[in-house]
Amino acid sequence: MKYLTLIAAATLATPASADILNVMQVEENVYAIVGPLGQRNPENLGNNATFGLVVTGAGAILMDPGGSYKGAQALHDVIKGITGQPVKYVIDTGGQDHRWLGNGYWQQQGAQVIASDAAVADHQDRGSMQLTGLSVLIGDEMLAGTEPAYADITFATDYTLTLGDVRLELHHDGAAHTPGDSTVWLADRSVLFAGDIIYMERILGIGSQSNSLEWVASFEALAALKPLHIVPGHGAPTDLAGATRDTYDYLINIRSKMAEYIKDGGEIIDSVKIDQSGFSYLENFEGLYGRNAQEVYSQMEWE
């Protein structure tokens, strides 16, 4: 499925920046704002992710606020090129830094922030560590102004947001990349904002905050909606077939191969050798496949 890139090369930090946010129209008044696939750096201000935007006659709704205060400002600059409507709500779809550390900027603009209870708990648990990491990756100058700011509205598993003529259904079906990952479902246009439950074009990351077993279940829950369009947490908009290929199939492969490896008495040190070569086409594969394997081993050893 092809999506139209409306705005390319939206510079985040300086005119010399090589990192960009691309705006892609998914449906009428529905957009994906696609950041780079690589690591956080001073040029992208922590916005190495994909964000979502829904525009209504009563204001706009933003899926994820940006990875820093300045990252949120840069995201706002891009949004101003799409619509003159103010952002009324920001939905934090998960626990990673680019899913919440820009909250403070948007709250200063008058927006209300919404997140799952599990996501807010994760923000509180990992916020200090994330800020320390960002100070190294993007630098203190680019991190200036970034302070932890938590959601104004929280929910346990489900929440319905109505703005103008738009109705969004928020669902937290369990952990995935982070404990509080949620989806945002725009049913009447069959658009799903999936956050970090879905990675496109780059290998997903399985860390100590992740739950690979629940991630599979969370994917299956969103797949049951049969969305025509998916805005992932990383990469360009896609359909369910693309999301299955780059995310679900990867999870099933690593977990099934690891189950066999553990059954055969394998140790964690050599778990990196399980066959993941079918996914070597994904960006960042070389840097993450080994870490993913060892984390999945640690999790499955106790399942």
Side-chain angles (χ1 to χ4, degrees), residues 51 62-67 72 75 90 92 98-103 106:
F51 309 90
L62 175 64
M63 267 52 73
D64 299 310
L75 193 55
V90 176
D92 297 347
H98 32 237
R99 308 294 170 209
W100 78 282
L101 278 175
N103 282 350
W106 292 106

Side-chain angles (χ1 to χ4, degrees), residues 20 34 52 74 83 119 122 128 187 263 303:
I20 59 174
V34 184
T83 179
D122 189 28
S128 177
K263 183 179 179 180
E303 285 181 2

Side-chain angles (χ1 to χ4, degrees), residues 163-228:
L163 181 65
D165 60 353
V166 168
R167 182 177 186 270
L168 295 175
E169 299 171 17
L170 285 60
H171 301 292
H172 169 59
D173 294 301
H177 183 54
T178 70
D181 286 334
S182 301
T183 58
V184 181
W185 177 226
L186 181 54
D188 65 352
R189 300 183 212 176
S190 198
V191 177
L192 183 78
F193 300 90
D196 283 334
I197 299 173
I198 294 179
Y199 281 57
M200 289 300 300
E201 306 174 73
R202 59 153 291 183
I203 190 174
L204 57 83
I206 304 172
S208 58
Q209 81 287 344
S210 307
N211 185 314
S212 62
L213 177 61
E214 289 190 26
W215 198 335
V216 170
S218 292
F219 187 102
E220 290 172 348
L222 70 81
L225 297 171
K226 299 181 179 179
L228 292 179

Side-chain angles (χ1 to χ4, degrees), residues 72-270:
Q73 285 182 311
L75 193 55
H76 198 185
D77 287 342
V78 173
I79 292 169
K80 289 174 183 176
I82 301 170
T83 179
Q85 290 285 358
V87 173
K88 292 296 185 87
Y89 293 96
V90 176
I91 300 170
D92 297 347
T93 65
Q96 291 297 81
D97 45 15
H98 32 237
R99 308 294 170 209
W100 78 282
L101 278 175
N103 282 350
Y105 172 83
W106 292 106
Q107 288 168 329
Q108 289 178 10
Q109 312 312 306
Q112 288 191 290
V113 178
I114 306 172
S116 72
D117 293 332
V120 174
D122 189 28
H123 301 163
Q124 294 168 339
D125 286 345
R126 295 196 296 135
S128 177
M129 179 181 68
Q130 290 174 338
L131 286 168
T132 299
L134 283 171
S135 72
V136 174
L137 293 169
I138 73 173
D140 290 336
E141 180 181 353
M142 296 305 181
L143 190 59
T146 308
E147 298 289 344
Y150 305 112
D152 304 291
I153 301 167
T154 65
F155 64 96
T157 57
D158 302 288
Y159 184 83
T160 299
L161 173 65
T162 301
L163 181 65
D165 60 353
V166 168
R167 182 177 186 270
L168 295 175
E169 299 171 17
L170 285 60
H171 301 292
H172 169 59
D173 294 301
H177 183 54
T178 70
D181 286 334
S182 301
T183 58
V184 181
W185 177 226
L186 181 54
D188 65 352
R189 300 183 212 176
S190 198
V191 177
L192 183 78
F193 300 90
D196 283 334
I197 299 173
I198 294 179
Y199 281 57
M200 289 300 300
E201 306 174 73
R202 59 153 291 183
I203 190 174
L204 57 83
I206 304 172
S208 58
Q209 81 287 344
S210 307
N211 185 314
S212 62
L213 177 61
E214 289 190 26
W215 198 335
V216 170
S218 292
F219 187 102
E220 290 172 348
L222 70 81
L225 297 171
K226 299 181 179 179
L228 292 179
H229 313 284
I230 295 174
V231 177
H234 296 270
T238 188
D239 56 16
L240 187 56
T244 299
R245 180 189 66 241
D246 284 5
T247 294
Y248 185 76
D249 289 351
Y250 178 81
L251 289 167
I252 295 300
N253 179 76
I254 194 171
R255 285 183 54 81
S256 61
K257 295 285 177 57
M258 196 61 70
E260 295 173 8
Y261 179 78
I262 293 172
K263 183 179 179 180
D264 291 341
E267 300 291 337
I268 191 170
I269 190 67
D270 287 325

